[in-house]
Every structure is written in C-alpha cells, then in structure tokens.
Amino acid sequence: DAVPVPRLPRLCRADLPCVPDGAQRDPWRDQRRERPDHPRGLPPVGHGNPSRGRRHMVDASHPRGAAGDPDLGPLALRRVALCDGLPAIPRRPHQWRHQPESPPMTAPTKTILRALAGETLPTPPIWMMRQAGRYLPEYRATRAQAGDFLSLCYTPDLAAEVTLQPIRRYGFDAAILFADILLLPQALGPKLWFETGEGPRMETTTTMDQVRALKPTDAIHDTLSPVYETVRILARELPRETTLIGFAGAPWTVATYMIGGRGSKDQAAAHALKDTDRPTFEALIDRITEATVEYLSAQVNAGAEVVKLFDSWAGSLKGADFNDFAVKPAARIIAAMKDRHPGLPIIAFPRE
C-alpha cells in the first residue's frame, strides 16, 4: 500500500517554474526598478542569487517574504514548484518555530474560522479529511512504532504526531484530530478490533437488553481520556494560524457498525433492525446521540476549535428515515453543543 512521496520541495518564486536563465521571460522584470549597480540590474529577492537564474528562494523569516514583494509573505498562498519536474502544488507554508515575541493569533484571524463564520475569503482555506495517512512515509514509520491502529489512536504522543505531520509538510489551514469514529461505541462497552487487510470488527448490539447493558454516557471518558490528551497536545503544538478540528461519527453511521459488527455497502443489518424492532433501534440511536454530545464537548474543553459530524452512510436512509435518523439526531447534537459552547462552529457531513 506504500505510496511514494516526493522529497520536500524547494520554495520558488510564486507561479514561476524552475527553469534555466533565459528560457522564459521573467514577468516581474518590467515591474521592478532597474538597479545599475547590480550585475543584472535587478534587486536580490529573499535568499535568491540572481546570477543563478530563476531559483529565487523565499525568505520566510521576512514579514513580507522579500523587500518590495507584498505577495510573498509567510501567510500568502503561493505555488510550490518542484525542481525535479513534478507539477506545482499549492501550499501555505507556516513558520513552524514561532518567534517568542510574536503575539498569539486570536480565533477570528484563522482562515477556517472566518470561512465558517460566513466570510468570503480571496483564497479558500484548505484541509483534507484524510490528510494524515499511509501516503506519508513519516506516518508509516509512526504507525509501525505504535504496533497497531488502536494503539496509535490511544497513544497521545503518537496520535498527535501523525496529526501534525501533514501540517509540517503541506501547511494546511486546519488539522483534524487523528482518531476513529468507532472509539466512541467502544467506550460504551462493545469490543472493537481491526482485522488486517479487512478493517474494523465490533461486538454487535442488536437487542434491547444489550442496549440497556451499554455503559452510561458519562462513563465514556475513562476510555476516551487519551483522545482528550491528544487534543491538548495539539492545541499547544499546532501553529497559531492552524485551526484544530475535533470530530465524531453521526449516530446512524455509528449504529450501522454496532448492529452489523462491520462496515458494509448497504448497511443491511441496521436497516433490518430499524424495520423489525423500532424501539430497540431508536433506543440505540438515543444512547449514541447522548454519548456523542459528551464526547465532542470533552474535545472542545480540551482545545478543539471546530467539531465535525461524519455521517458516512447517511445516503442509505430514504424518505422519513433520513429525517428521523440522520437529520434529527444531528440537530439534537448541534443544539446541545451550541448550548454548552456558544459560538462553536460545527460541520455536518452526511454523505450520499
């Protein structure tokens, strides 16, 4: 499954490929003042050496990137040209080691938070739902160090490390907590394990007695406390301009795993229980909904600035079922979270 990743790119002049001197015209040449005392009549840019062609490096330590270049500041979105011939990719580089005298960034200045507040930004903020994963060699090394997936999720230092890796490499505008949606149902009592090459497996919950035997919602924190510690580490270690997103699975999607014991394409077991034993199914949805509020609230208390509900299998609910078991539980969670944490941005993601 290993996916090769190119070596870290060099930062080159924005939108200007790395080409030998003379291969193309510099679009900035006519816009800059000629300097007779310079061998090429051009002022130096950042750490670049004009005598070496177009490979002018950006000076990220300079507040504007380079004197006279307002578009090259360390927070400006610029194009990264890979000097080994790969296509350029967008990147927002961050100053990973912040200067002690720099004032802390307040929440309204973070691009993700501004966008979620309804502001239209000139450059849309970027983050990826699976931005930590096997495509990164450093992730594979950390995963091997953990030994197995659940150990990675429950070891705060390692879970924080894999959350930070894509931020260091690509400078995304947000980091999403590294965890799994099935940690919450595991905290309610059912056993959870992962089969190599096949995915998660879970002890099933299909009767009213089994629903009643689940742990009370306030008991989930004993199991999930390592996740909260991961959030606290990230709140300290992330760059000031990077938003921290916490998450949980939506009740319907979590219920499909608790009922079926594994993922499936049609969620047949969950639909069967919903259609044949409605009281048991509704009781399970209610328990997951209550536990999700506790789980997300604890993440916010630990430092998450945004939370997200993943309803990966919402598309299999049709008609009134979609309203009853996707929309209504999500609305209950959002209302409870807004009551506990006024102003908290919440993202709902029901997938078709």
Side-chain angles (χ1 to χ4, degrees), residues 252 256 259-260 264-275 316:
W252 160 252
T256 64
I259 296 167
S264 67
K265 293 182 178 180
D266 55 6
Q267 299 80 54
H271 283 290
L273 183 65
K274 168 176 62 66
D275 296 338
S316 69

Side-chain angles (χ1 to χ4, degrees), residues 149-150 153-154 159 176-188 192 216-232 245-251 254 287-304 306-310 333 336-337 340-341 344:
F149 180 75
L150 286 177
C153 291
Y154 283 123
I176 185 164
L177 168 70
F178 183 86
D180 192 271
I181 64 170
L182 298 185
L183 301 186
L184 175 61
Q186 182 188 30
L188 288 170
L192 172 67
T217 55
D218 58 359
I220 65 173
H221 305 304
D222 293 337
T223 300
L224 297 172
S225 58
V227 178
Y228 311 145
E229 178 59 25
T230 301
V231 175
R232 283 188 283 270
I245 302 175
F247 76 94
V254 172
R287 181 65 64 88
I288 297 170
T289 301
E290 295 165 1
T292 302
V293 172
E294 293 295 326
Y295 183 38
L296 290 177
S297 185
Q299 292 183 35
V300 173
N301 290 336
V306 178
V307 294
K308 181 166 184 173
L309 276 174
F310 284 94
I333 293 169
M337 293 298 293
R340 295 188 185 194
H341 310 280
L344 174 72

Side-chain angles (χ1 to χ4, degrees), residues 93-113:
H94 294 297
Q95 224 174 322
W96 189 252
R97 297 295 182 187
H98 298 289
Q99 299 298 327
E101 66 272 16
S102 300
M105 295 188 72
T106 57
T109 67
K110 296 186 177 184
T111 54
I112 292 283
L113 299 181

